[in-house]
Amino acid sequence: MDTLLLSRIQFGANISFHILFPTITIALGWVLLFFKLRFNATGDEKWMQAYRFWVKVFALSFAMGVVSGITMSFQFGTNWPGFMEAVGNIAGPLLAYEILTAFFLEAVFLGIMLFGFSKVPNWLHTTATFLVAFGTTMSAFWILVLNSWMHTPAGFEMRDGVAFATDWWAIIFNPSMPYRLTHMLLASGLTVAFLILGLSAFRWLVGDRGSDVRATFKTAAWLGALLIPVQIYMGDLHGLNTLEYQPQKVAAMEGNWETKSNVPLVLFALPDEESRENHHEVSIPNLASIILTHKADGVVPGLNDFVSEDGTVLHPPVAPVFWSFRVMVGTGITMLLLSWSALWFMRRGRGPGGVPKLMQVALVPMAFSGWIATLAGWYTTEIGRQPWLVQGVLTTEQAVADVPAPMVGTTLAAYLMIYALLLAAYVGVLFYLARKAARVGLSQQIQAASALRGVKAVPAE
């Protein structure tokens, strides 16, 4: 593998690891605010217990996101110097806005949020929680502005190979920004919904029947059930926007080789770029045209339109885009079925106890389903932009550093080993926290039951 491919894999590995944690903190900050507001309104201790548990998860995720984000940002200079040389006049200010308006806000108030339960007035602690949640969302806003501009660049002009801003409003609110930002915020909400649902199901399975577990399970089930239909709708709008500005990506997602009408929706196939066809295709007639154009005879672009006369391929690698898109959609459908089923089983007010044990067991690994869907969607959109780094402006080949391939390969191997260890440790800590909370909950339940029988309770751990 050459330097270009290894650099792409390395950056992909870094951003794949990094994105896992902001995907949690973006929405979890707002969920924590919900828990705190419910406590303020009702005085019910279960909401404060939920807050205390999940703020630990937030802190851990925030720390992991900050560290991995710094590592990732270094690669703009080490692996992709051509990126900043060509579009630094636009990318630099946007990244600076993210630090000034978001990162500092999070850093200032995070300490109050984590350690100010009994040290500051309640209103100040609630305000700090709001400001941290707002900061995570602002961080996502500026990063998605830059990313969407790379897909649909606007508001600039090129002078001697360098991009200069001519309209910052057009840069910020470029054609794909609203769809990408909304899609990502909803993805974060679903990631957190199923993380809470999965860990709450785990605590229930190990015997914790605390009121906070019931509250978090029910809240997460409702959050997932409400957000997934909205995400499907926004996904459709995002797809239509992509069809307009990046038709080659849509062609790869659909595995469609020839521009034509009445295009079927391919459920399964093995795309073959050498023969320019799909093998073992299973499809539904006309459905791709209906989804993309809302007409059965709608015309869908084909991949063969994006090959130059000299044979240069101008569309992305087909198989990775084709399959990552299906993983994303399949995970989303699974989320829809499980969240709606959980609510249906809880309809009699029995809470998690009304959900069949088999479904509770299935919900535990689904705690990380949001990660799978987010990564699959990220791969779809980013690999789908190839061979461009900035669509129509700068290719990845033009931006890559002149670094020996063995050096990139060595650092890539080191990154992968460290990230694997950190990811295993992170997941392990989450379940450790859940087991610890379950033990405390069980002890409190025994204490309460003993008190009702008039027996001296065993002190809680």
Side-chain angles (χ1 to χ4, degrees):
M1 291 187 285
D2 60 10
T3 298
L4 175 60
L5 182 57
L6 286 169
S7 296
R8 286 177 58 195
I9 295 173
Q10 181 167 301
F11 192 82
N14 275 272
I15 201 168
S16 295
F17 182 76
H18 169 70
I19 199 175
L20 300 178
F21 307 106
T23 303
I24 291 175
T25 56
I26 291 167
L28 186 54
W30 294 106
V31 173
L32 287 170
L33 179 62
F34 171 77
F35 290 160
K36 188 64 192 295
L37 291 176
R38 290 295 295 155
F39 172 75
N40 293 345
T42 65
D44 194 330
E45 187 62 26
K46 69 183 180 184
W47 296 110
M48 204 63 209
Q49 291 174 352
Y51 185 99
R52 288 193 177 99
F53 175 82
W54 285 101
V55 79
K56 298 174 185 175
V57 177
F58 181 93
L60 178 63
S61 304
F62 183 84
M64 296 283 281
V66 169
V67 172
S68 59
I70 293 172
T71 303
M72 186 185 68
S73 64
F74 285 158
Q75 294 193 35
F76 286 121
T78 59
N79 292 58
W80 305 99
F83 177 74
M84 281 300 182
E85 289 175 2
V87 298
N89 292 329
I90 294 170
L94 293 178
L95 293 172
Y97 297 154
E98 189 261 342
I99 294 172
L100 291 173
T101 64
F103 188 75
F104 286 164
L105 191 65
E106 296 166 330
V108 169
F109 291 97
L110 183 63
I112 299 175
M113 177 181 170
L114 295 179
F115 307 111
F117 296 113
S118 57
K119 296 179 177 61
V120 298
N122 184 59
W123 68 266
L124 179 56
H125 185 260
T126 303
T127 302
T129 303
F130 165 76
L131 291 174
V132 171
F134 179 73
T136 60
T137 303
M138 286 301 298
S139 177
F141 172 82
W142 289 113
I143 295 300
L144 266 295
V145 165
L146 175 56
N147 180 260
S148 61
W149 181 84
M150 292 164 66
H151 285 267
T152 52
F156 74 104
E157 64 180 15
M158 298 298 294
R159 305 175 197 163
D160 299 322
V162 177
F164 288 86
T166 58
D167 185 346
W168 277 106
W169 284 110
I171 290 171
I172 295 172
F173 298 100
N174 62 80
S176 66
M177 190 280 287
Y179 304 99
R180 294 182 192 280
L181 177 63
T182 306
H183 203 54
M184 184 63 202
L185 294 179
L186 289 169
S188 177
L190 287 167
T191 299
V192 168
F194 276 85
L195 179 65
I196 296 175
L197 196 59
L199 289 186
S200 298
F202 175 77
R203 290 176 62 181
W204 189 270
L205 286 169
V206 297
D208 188 354
R209 301 294 188 266
S211 58
D212 60 320
V213 178
R214 293 175 179 271
T216 54
F217 190 100
K218 186 176 180 180
T219 300
W222 273 107
L223 183 61
L226 292 174
L227 289 185
I228 190 65
V230 182
Q231 181 71 302
I232 292 172
Y233 174 72
M234 286 307 304
D236 178 63
L237 295 182
H238 191 187
L240 296 177
N241 178 266
T242 304
L243 178 63
E244 179 178 357
Y245 291 96
Q246 295 175 308
Q248 68 274 30
K249 182 191 296 184
V250 172
M253 290 161 56
E254 299 299 332
N256 186 48
W257 298 94
E258 298 292 343
T259 299
K260 58 185 178 181
S261 60
N262 302 98
V263 175
L265 178 66
V266 179
L267 301 178
F268 175 86
L270 298 177
D272 186 342
E273 290 194 48
E274 291 188 7
S275 62
R276 315 294 294 176
E277 62 180 346
N278 295 331
H279 301 297
H280 310 294
E281 181 177 305
V282 178
S283 59
I284 301 176
N286 301 328
L287 191 54
S289 288
I290 293 173
I291 292 173
L292 291 168
T293 68
H294 299 169
K295 297 183 295 182
D297 60 350
V299 176
V300 176
L303 290 160
N304 290 334
D305 286 356
F306 302 96
V307 180
S308 64
E309 294 183 359
D310 62 1
T312 303
V313 175
L314 300 176
H315 63 70
V318 181
V321 177
F322 179 87
W323 282 111
S324 57
F325 177 71
R326 276 147 187 78
V327 170
M328 178 187 69
V329 173
T331 306
I333 292 173
T334 305
M335 287 176 163
L336 176 69
L337 295 175
L338 282 175
S339 58
W340 283 18
S341 297
L343 287 181
W344 188 83
F345 283 116
M346 290 192 296
R347 69 193 186 284
R348 296 181 181 177
R350 295 173 59 194
V355 178
K357 186 174 182 180
L358 185 61
M359 180 176 289
Q360 294 177 22
V361 173
L363 286 172
V364 175
M366 284 294 291
F368 305 103
S369 59
W371 279 359
I372 296 173
T374 299
L375 287 178
W378 195 259
Y379 295 156
T380 299
T381 194
E382 299 307 314
I383 298 175
R385 187 178 55 202
Q386 293 299 313
W388 300 103
L389 192 57
V390 178
Q391 185 75 34
V393 176
L394 181 70
T395 65
T396 52
E397 187 175 6
Q398 292 170 329
V400 72
D402 185 17
V403 179
M407 183 178 295
V408 182
T410 301
T411 54
L412 171 60
Y415 277 129
L416 292 176
M417 290 175 58
I418 293 171
Y419 286 160
L421 291 173
L422 287 175
L423 188 59
Y426 177 84
V427 173
V429 170
L430 290 187
F431 281 98
Y432 167 77
L433 292 173
R435 285 192 298 269
K436 182 179 179 181
R439 287 196 299 269
V440 172
L442 283 168
S443 180
Q444 292 173 344
Q445 292 163 34
I446 294 171
Q447 188 177 31
S450 299
L452 288 174
R453 293 195 301 266
V455 181
K456 184 178 179 180
V458 178
E461 293 181 6

